Amino acid sequence: MNMAIRVYLLLFLALSYSYTAFSLYEDQVGLMDWHQQYIGKVKHAVFHTQKAARKRVVVSTEENVVSSLDLRHGEIFWRHVLAPSDVIDQIDIALGKYVITLSSGGSILRAWNLPDGQMVWESTLPGPKASKPLLLVPTNLKIGRENVMFVYGNGFIHAISSIDGEVIWKKELASEGINIQQLIYTDGSDTISAVGFVGTHRFGTYILHAKSGELLKYKSMEFASGFSGDLSLVTDDTAVAIDSVGTSLVTIQFHDGLISFHQTRLSHLIQNFRRAAVISPSNIPGVFILGTDNSVTLIKVLSRGELKVVEELGHATAVSDALFLPGGQQAFALVQHRDGKILLTVKLDSDDGTSNLLEETIHLDNQRGKVQKVFVNTYVRVDRSNGFRVLIVMEDDSLFLLQQGEIVWSREDGLASIVDVKPAELPVEKDGVSVAKVENNLFELLKGHLLKLKGTLMIATPDDVTAIQKMRLQSSGKSKMTRDRNGFRKLLIVLTRAGKLFALHTGDGRIVWSRLLKTLRKSETCQSPRGISLHQWQDPHHHALDQNPSVLIVGRCGDSLDSAGVLSIVDAYTGEERNHMEHVHSIAHIIPLSFTDSMEQRLHLLLDANRRAHLYPRTAEALDIFQRELGNIYWYSAETDEGILRGHSVQKNCVLEEADNFCFDSRDLWSIVFPSESEKIAATAIRSLNEVVHTQAKVTADQEVMYKYVSKNLLFLATVAPKAVGPIGSVTPDESSLIVYLIDTVTGRILLRVTHHGSVGPVHAVFSENWVVYHYFNLRAHRYEMSVIEIYDQARAENKDVLKLVLGTHNLTSPITAYSRPEVSTKSQSYFFAHSLKTMAVTLTAKGITSKQVLLGTIGDQVLALDKRFLDPRRTVNPTQAEKEEGIIPLTDSLPIIPQSYVTHALKVEGLRGIVTVPAKLESTTLVFAYGTDLFFTRLAPSRTYDSLTEDFSYALLLITIGALVVAIFVTWIWSEKKELQEKWR
């Protein structure tokens, strides 16, 4: 029998070793997570298409990204995401090898290496007065041996070396009160000019020596009608502006210090002109672009300042800058959007007028909106003629390249500006599978197990390994458009700043559908629409399974709270817009209620700027449900600027000129006024509405029961000293303090107040179950800190016996009301933490059984998962044996940062703004989605996957192991029997 045991152990170890050898996880990349990189809406673009180098286009975006894109495929060669405050003003290419970026209002100039994006140099250009930033890179201007570029910003003009960024000379131009609008340099000239407005009624021009910065001449002249808007430069000595009334165009000619004005009424140029016009930025020599509400007009400036209309185009037209062709000719591109088609026209500009070099029509998705910007580039065809490639930016922030009448590539860069995210379930898989499909699946299954077996025995060829990876991706079923039993496959409905809605599949991140919402598009009645948030509108379960789930999109026609609101209801499966409402009441706050109607539509309260509550959906059934629950609806509002926290409830129907049964007045229940001289509201946090708490009882190491104080009406609020609102280091520790509150939002009762002396924000907090974790900066220790507060219900202190809890004789069924004064106790602890944070979140699971992890979005744009056990306020330096068995970790002054705890691994979610967690059906697992300029999705198991086998578990190997063990037992049993028989015959 001993022999049998030895053989069994040897065989088990051999099989285990072979399985471990194959489990290198190299073939599991991308099975559970995905990462997508974006750049945002493009605002500047410069082509670089030299024959010796890879063809690329360098762009800057509204997400503060400077990037180099491959012109062949649209892929990112390199990119850099600058800080939100470091806004990119202009870009250009110098010496054919440096990308030049001017940012922060003309304060910072950088040079990046064109091939790999490494920063070559950086120059800081301070000044006393903010001004329009301007960048001018001459083609061939040298001071000594230095190639030079000119920068105007903060009231100074600088001549800067292109090689090392050294300032060669600088000259202040703001002393005369002039607002410089343009810098002018003519190739081969020794002078540089700066032109602009002095106040609103005077035009001025400076002439400086280009190599020394010496002021050669300054001249200004008054224009009685005044100017408005920006100055548009037409030629080196001619500019155009709009008068202060907005009814005339003013042609300004300046040469050798002589200034003259020529005024032309807009009604003489444009028929039926009624509204104000805007001059669009353009560098087409001799021509400028005038935009109105109804049209875009190309206007040519003649020799004496007279104006001539070249062409009048439709409103949805974008015009490129001038493109200089071989032979001294110049061209520009026009792109018009009509009936789902892109009309591309490249025009040749000459003294005699314009002629068309190229006309193409491209069919385009209707969900991209209108053309916003266009950039044109030329290349030489095989027949030596000029070909054109056009980069187009659309209304939904997407980017695509047109060439030879086709879309070469496209990018959905609107996903770099996500506003809100909501998960949605996929449809249920229908029963019924064909016999042929079953037979095919059986064959593929056997083939897959055979390949896995070859891999396990380490006899697989490279082709076999590739096939194994491919089959694993297919067999995982992660890309199917139906629900899975573990709840891993879902849709992520995301709303972007451009007003476009996307549905992303959690399996591989692909776009299932997209829709540009009509209610969030610019119109005559809604000039600046913006999306606010997404909410679950309908989630069918039992009574309405024939209905698809839907989401509610809430927006405003402006940035102020009193702007008119817009609402849309969209099908989560198809993206079809079921209903929309425009120009409704203002929307200041949205409250999803916990009630649903017979169609499982969730009730919502929308609060307007006048503190009136509006009920949606506007149906009789919803109104009846709401009126029954009227006494149980409370909410709070935080007036940050005034330092006031208020509690509200519904009172009665609104008194309006037209009766509205779905409008209700609110009344103030309580208010807390924070002293303005010592406290300013910095952050608030509440529990997630869909969080599930498994149990309110917590058994300690000494077998006592502590009851969590779990309430969805509990609010965490943090205030800082008004002097400490600025950046870290702007105040001393004695002038700063951080005060945190736990407040019941039904009664306004303050349950806890804690003061952190010498601490400042920014404050980030997350609230879950009965605990809150918050992050701040300690000025005295010069380090970041994280604190945890746990709150327990002392009203059930007599129910401490575990036996009572097991037998059910405890008093947990006694009614609880928010109006009675709660008897609570708190435990708290603070720890040092090494990182600054951008955002925080907490994992959510289906039943709330799995232990929690706090997800920290670091300043390095990564997501770190921190086990809640490290933030246990009961940690001590020397825990007892019982506390160790309970899982309490010995106390240290700092929280550990374990490299393996980075959810994003070695990846970055550039521009990280938010983290969303979604519970899966499998209790051990939660889904995590992080978004910013990039997107990242993964699955987390905070307590390991204790309720399932891993997806790569080898069932074939298990069967082989069991079979081998059975054979081994049988063989060793025969050996044992023979041995015993031989011993008996002796």
Side-chain angles (χ1 to χ4, degrees):
M1 196 64 188
N2 291 334
M3 180 65 125
I5 295 174
R6 289 176 184 173
V7 173
Y8 169 83
L9 289 174
L10 287 173
L11 186 59
F12 179 77
L13 288 172
L15 290 172
S16 299
Y17 178 78
S18 65
Y19 178 77
T20 306
F22 186 64
S23 300
L24 297 178
Y25 304 107
E26 184 180 355
D27 58 344
Q28 296 178 348
V29 176
L31 285 177
M32 291 180 15
D33 53 47
W34 46 263
H35 180 233
Q36 297 176 355
Q37 294 182 316
Y38 297 99
I39 57 174
K41 183 178 182 179
V42 172
K43 58 181 182 180
H44 305 112
V46 181
F47 289 90
H48 185 265
T49 55
Q50 293 181 359
K51 291 182 178 180
R54 301 178 70 177
K55 293 178 174 57
R56 66 184 74 211
V57 57
V58 179
V59 299
S60 70
T61 71
E62 293 184 358
E63 299 300 318
N64 272 2
V65 177
V66 55
S67 176
S68 175
L69 302 179
D70 182 7
L71 270 180
R72 295 184 181 275
H73 309 290
E75 298 173 351
I76 298 174
F77 281 141
W78 56 262
R79 64 172 181 166
H80 294 283
V81 183
L82 305 186
S85 58
D86 193 10
V87 178
I88 300 174
D89 303 310
Q90 290 189 16
I91 65 170
D92 208 334
I93 294 179
L95 305 178
K97 60 181 181 178
Y98 295 148
V99 176
I100 307 298
T101 60
L102 181 65
S103 59
S104 294
S107 298
I108 301 177
L109 187 70
R110 297 182 179 93
W112 314 85
N113 194 33
L114 181 61
D116 57 12
Q118 295 295 319
M119 189 167 71
V120 181
W121 51 258
E122 176 182 288
S123 295
T124 303
L125 310 174
K129 181 182 178 182
S131 59
K132 181 179 179 180
L134 299 171
L135 173 65
L136 177 62
V137 182
T139 305
N140 188 19
L141 174 63
K142 289 188 176 183
I143 300 178
R145 295 183 178 181
E146 302 284 346
N147 287 80
V148 176
M149 67 183 74
F150 298 103
V151 174
Y152 179 76
N154 297 314
F156 281 86
I157 182 171
H158 303 77
I160 297 176
S161 168
S162 302
I163 302 296
D164 54 13
E166 181 183 354
V167 177
I168 298 173
W169 59 258
K170 71 176 182 177
K171 182 73 175 179
E172 185 178 3
L173 301 182
S175 58
E176 301 291 336
I178 188 170
N179 180 17
I180 299 297
Q181 295 282 311
Q182 297 286 345
L183 297 179
I184 306 166
Y185 174 79
T186 304
D187 288 340
S189 173
D190 290 332
T191 61
I192 180 172
S193 301
V195 298
F197 298 131
V198 183
T200 58
H201 287 75
R202 183 173 287 272
F203 173 82
T205 174
Y206 285 96
I207 301 176
L208 297 93
H209 196 280
K211 296 186 178 181
S212 65
E214 179 187 355
L215 179 61
L216 302 177
K217 191 177 294 185
Y218 170 70
K219 192 75 174 178
S220 67
M221 186 173 180
E222 186 175 356
F223 180 67
S225 299
F227 304 100
S228 66
D230 291 335
L231 185 73
S232 179
L233 192 67
V234 180
T235 63
D236 289 346
D237 57 4
T238 306
V240 177
I242 299 176
D243 69 353
S244 59
V245 185
T247 57
S248 299
L249 286 171
V250 183
T251 306
I252 309 168
Q253 292 184 315
F254 47 93
H255 182 70
D256 249 0
L258 300 176
I259 302 173
S260 62
F261 301 109
H262 185 279
Q263 191 170 0
T264 306
R265 295 192 63 83
L266 284 167
S267 57
H268 295 166
L269 292 173
I270 303 174
Q271 295 181 354
N272 302 322
F273 173 76
R274 295 179 182 178
R275 300 187 180 183
V278 177
I279 297 177
S280 300
S282 174
N283 71 344
I284 306 173
V287 178
F288 67 95
I289 305 166
L290 187 72
T292 65
D293 289 341
N294 301 320
S295 65
V296 173
T297 306
L298 299 180
I299 301 176
K300 193 174 187 65
V301 181
L302 304 179
S303 58
R304 296 183 179 180
E306 298 174 349
L307 303 180
K308 176 185 176 182
V309 175
V310 177
E311 189 171 358
E312 189 169 348
L313 307 165
H315 176 63
T317 303
V319 184
S320 75
D321 286 342
L323 175 67
F324 294 95
L325 302 176
Q329 294 177 314
Q330 61 185 28
F332 60 92
L334 297 175
V335 177
Q336 297 173 277
H337 195 190
R338 296 177 184 172
D339 302 326
K341 297 178 181 178
I342 288 287
L343 306 179
L344 170 63
T345 306
V346 178
K347 291 180 174 290
L348 180 66
D349 186 28
S350 63
D351 296 335
D352 300 331
T354 61
S355 58
N356 294 344
L357 290 177
L358 178 70
E359 289 183 297
E360 292 178 345
T361 301
I362 300 96
H363 293 274
L364 194 67
D365 182 9
N366 288 325
Q367 298 303 320
R368 294 190 182 273
K370 298 178 181 178
V371 179
Q372 299 290 299
K373 290 188 177 183
V374 57
F375 307 92
V376 64
N377 178 246
T378 185
Y379 64 94
V380 179
R381 294 174 176 165
V382 178
D383 59 0
R384 311 305 296 174
S385 63
N386 291 317
F388 299 93
R389 55 173 72 93
V390 179
L391 193 69
I392 297 178
V393 183
M394 300 300 293
E395 185 180 354
D396 66 342
D397 295 352
S398 61
L399 179 71
F400 59 91
L401 184 74
L402 295 183
Q403 186 172 330
Q404 295 183 353
E406 295 182 354
I407 298 177
V408 180
W409 51 260
S410 64
R411 295 179 55 89
E412 291 289 353
D413 283 303
L415 287 169
S417 57
I418 291 177
V419 175
D420 199 6
V421 183
K422 275 289 175 288
E425 294 289 349
L426 285 164
V428 180
E429 188 170 7
K430 296 181 179 180
D431 296 331
V433 183
S434 66
V435 175
K437 187 175 181 179
V438 171
E439 291 177 350
N440 182 61
N441 289 343
L442 181 60
F443 174 75
E444 293 294 331
L445 181 66
L446 293 174
K447 181 181 177 181
H449 282 307
L450 180 60
L451 286 173
K452 287 182 180 180
L453 180 59
K454 291 174 69 177
T456 303
L457 299 176
M458 293 181 289
I459 59 174
T461 63
D463 292 338
D464 291 337
V465 173
T466 304
I468 291 171
Q469 293 174 350
K470 183 177 179 181
M471 293 188 68
R472 281 187 173 178
L473 289 171
Q474 293 176 348
S475 63
S476 64
K478 67 175 188 176
S479 301
K480 293 176 65 176
M481 282 299 298
T482 56
R483 300 182 194 181
D484 62 312
R485 64 179 182 275
N486 293 328
F488 296 159
R489 290 197 298 265
K490 294 181 186 291
L491 289 178
L492 294 173
I493 312 298
V494 300
L495 175 65
T496 67
R497 189 172 54 217
K500 192 168 186 178
L501 210 60
F502 291 87
L504 306 179
H505 197 292
T506 58
D508 52 8
R510 74 180 186 276
I511 298 172
V512 178
W513 55 261
S514 62
R515 178 165 296 274
L516 187 61
L517 299 173
K518 296 179 181 178
T519 53
L520 295 180
R521 296 183 65 182
K522 184 177 179 180
S523 62
E524 293 184 2
T525 56
C526 188
Q527 287 295 317
S528 55
R530 57 182 294 263
I532 302 174
S533 57
L534 294 174
H535 302 273
Q536 192 69 47
W537 179 257
Q538 186 179 23
D539 191 11
H541 287 94
H542 305 292
H543 309 295
L545 282 175
D546 56 331
Q547 297 283 334
N548 290 349
S550 55
V551 291
L552 171 68
I553 300 95
V554 183
R556 291 194 197 105
C557 286
D559 295 328
S560 61
L561 293 179
D562 56 357
S563 302
V566 293
L567 305 172
S568 291
I569 299 172
V570 175
D571 190 307
Y573 288 170
T574 63
E576 179 184 355
E577 193 170 13
R578 293 183 182 177
N579 192 12
H580 68 272
M581 290 162 274
E582 300 181 28
H583 314 301
V584 298
H585 49 82
S586 60
I587 302 173
H589 189 56
I590 304 99
I591 304 176
L593 302 177
S594 57
F595 321 121
T596 58
D597 60 13
S598 59
M599 297 300 292
E600 301 200 38
Q601 295 181 122
R602 184 180 291 272
L603 274 61
H604 291 75
L605 269 187
L606 273 60
L607 309 178
D608 63 20
N610 298 317
R611 298 184 182 177
R612 289 192 289 257
H614 302 264
L615 177 65
Y616 290 87
R618 299 171 69 88
T619 62
E621 182 186 5
L623 182 62
D624 182 58
I625 296 171
F626 180 74
Q627 288 177 337
R628 288 200 306 267
E629 301 290 344
L630 205 61
N632 296 322
I633 298 174
Y634 304 89
W635 69 91
Y636 75 93
S637 62
E639 301 172 15
T640 305
D641 295 333
E642 289 76 17
I644 302 175
L645 185 70
R646 303 181 190 272
H648 311 276
S649 69
V650 179
Q651 187 176 16
K652 59 182 179 180
N653 283 99
C654 303
V655 179
L656 302 172
E657 295 180 0
E658 295 183 7
D660 186 356
N661 293 330
F662 300 94
C663 177
F664 298 86
D665 284 325
S666 65
R667 62 189 179 101
D668 293 349
L669 296 176
W670 54 265
S671 64
I672 300 175
V673 180
F674 300 97
S676 58
E677 65 277 1
S678 60
E679 295 184 54
K680 183 176 178 60
I681 298 174
T684 59
I686 58 172
R687 282 183 55 204
S688 174
L689 296 177
N690 61 343
E691 183 184 32
V692 178
V693 180
H694 176 63
T695 178
Q696 288 184 281
K698 183 175 184 178
V699 181
T700 62
D702 53 3
Q703 302 302 310
E704 287 191 354
V705 181
M706 301 173 66
Y707 294 98
K708 305 173 185 176
Y709 186 83
V710 179
S711 172
K712 290 189 177 181
N713 300 318
L714 209 55
L715 168 70
F716 168 85
L717 183 141
T719 65
V720 296
K723 291 183 179 180
V725 174
I728 295 172
S730 58
V731 294
T732 63
D734 294 333
E735 295 175 318
S736 62
S737 63
L738 170 68
I739 304 175
V740 300
Y741 298 86
L742 291 179
I743 302 171
D744 191 306
T745 58
V746 175
T747 62
R749 188 175 289 115
I750 298 176
L751 304 183
L752 178 69
R753 183 180 187 271
V754 178
T755 302
H756 298 273
H757 295 287
S759 297
V760 296
V763 181
H764 300 280
V766 64
F767 207 141
S768 177
E769 293 189 354
N770 68 319
W771 53 267
V772 59
V773 173
Y774 53 101
H775 177 275
Y776 54 94
F777 189 79
N778 188 328
L779 287 174
R780 296 187 187 276
H782 304 286
R783 299 173 72 177
Y784 287 100
E785 283 188 2
M786 289 182 69
S787 294
V788 58
I789 298 174
E790 291 186 356
I791 182 168
Y792 294 95
D793 190 354
Q794 288 296 103
R796 305 177 185 181
E798 68 275 6
N799 297 316
K800 290 186 175 181
D801 192 350
V802 178
L803 186 60
K804 287 184 178 181
L805 184 67
V806 175
L807 297 178
T809 58
H810 50 75
N811 187 22
L812 289 182
T813 58
S814 58
I816 300 174
T817 173
Y819 292 107
S820 62
R821 184 175 184 84
E823 299 178 27
V824 298
S825 65
T826 59
K827 295 180 181 294
S828 61
Q829 186 64 269
S830 297
Y831 306 91
F832 291 124
F833 189 66
H835 284 307
S836 174
L837 299 184
K838 287 186 172 182
T839 185
M840 293 176 68
V842 64
T843 55
L844 301 176
T845 54
K847 303 297 182 182
I849 301 172
T850 304
S851 60
K852 300 283 187 178
Q853 283 185 339
V854 180
L855 303 179
L856 309 173
T858 68
I859 195 67
D861 293 324
Q862 291 185 297
V863 180
L864 176 68
L866 186 64
D867 198 313
K868 173 58 175 63
R869 293 183 302 160
F870 289 110
L871 292 161
D872 193 332
R874 296 183 300 137
R875 289 176 63 185
T876 59
V877 177
N878 296 310
T880 64
Q881 184 61 34
E883 288 175 334
K884 290 180 180 178
E885 292 175 358
E886 187 186 343
I888 293 179
I889 302 171
L891 178 64
T892 56
D893 62 347
S894 300
L895 293 170
I897 297 178
I898 305 170
Q900 291 81 1
S901 296
Y902 280 100
V903 175
T904 47
H905 316 301
L907 303 173
K908 280 189 175 183
V909 185
E910 295 283 3
L912 178 64
R913 291 192 303 274
I915 303 171
V916 178
T917 58
V918 182
K921 289 182 181 179
L922 203 62
E923 170 57 27
S924 65
T925 308
T926 183
L927 311 180
V928 179
F929 178 64
Y931 62 92
T933 305
D934 296 345
L935 307 181
F936 179 81
F937 175 86
T938 190
R939 301 201 306 256
L940 281 186
S943 300
R944 306 291 181 90
T945 51
Y946 57 83
D947 51 358
S948 68
L949 296 172
T950 58
E951 289 185 354
D952 61 340
F953 184 81
S954 178
Y955 294 95
L957 182 60
L958 177 63
L959 293 174
I960 293 171
T961 304
I962 294 173
L965 292 176
V966 170
V967 171
I969 291 172
F970 182 73
V971 171
T972 53
W973 176 76
I974 294 175
W975 287 350
S976 177
E977 288 293 322
K978 288 183 177 180
K979 188 175 181 180
E980 288 181 3
L981 183 60
Q982 290 174 358
E983 288 179 353
K984 288 179 180 180
W985 278 102
R986 287 180 183 175

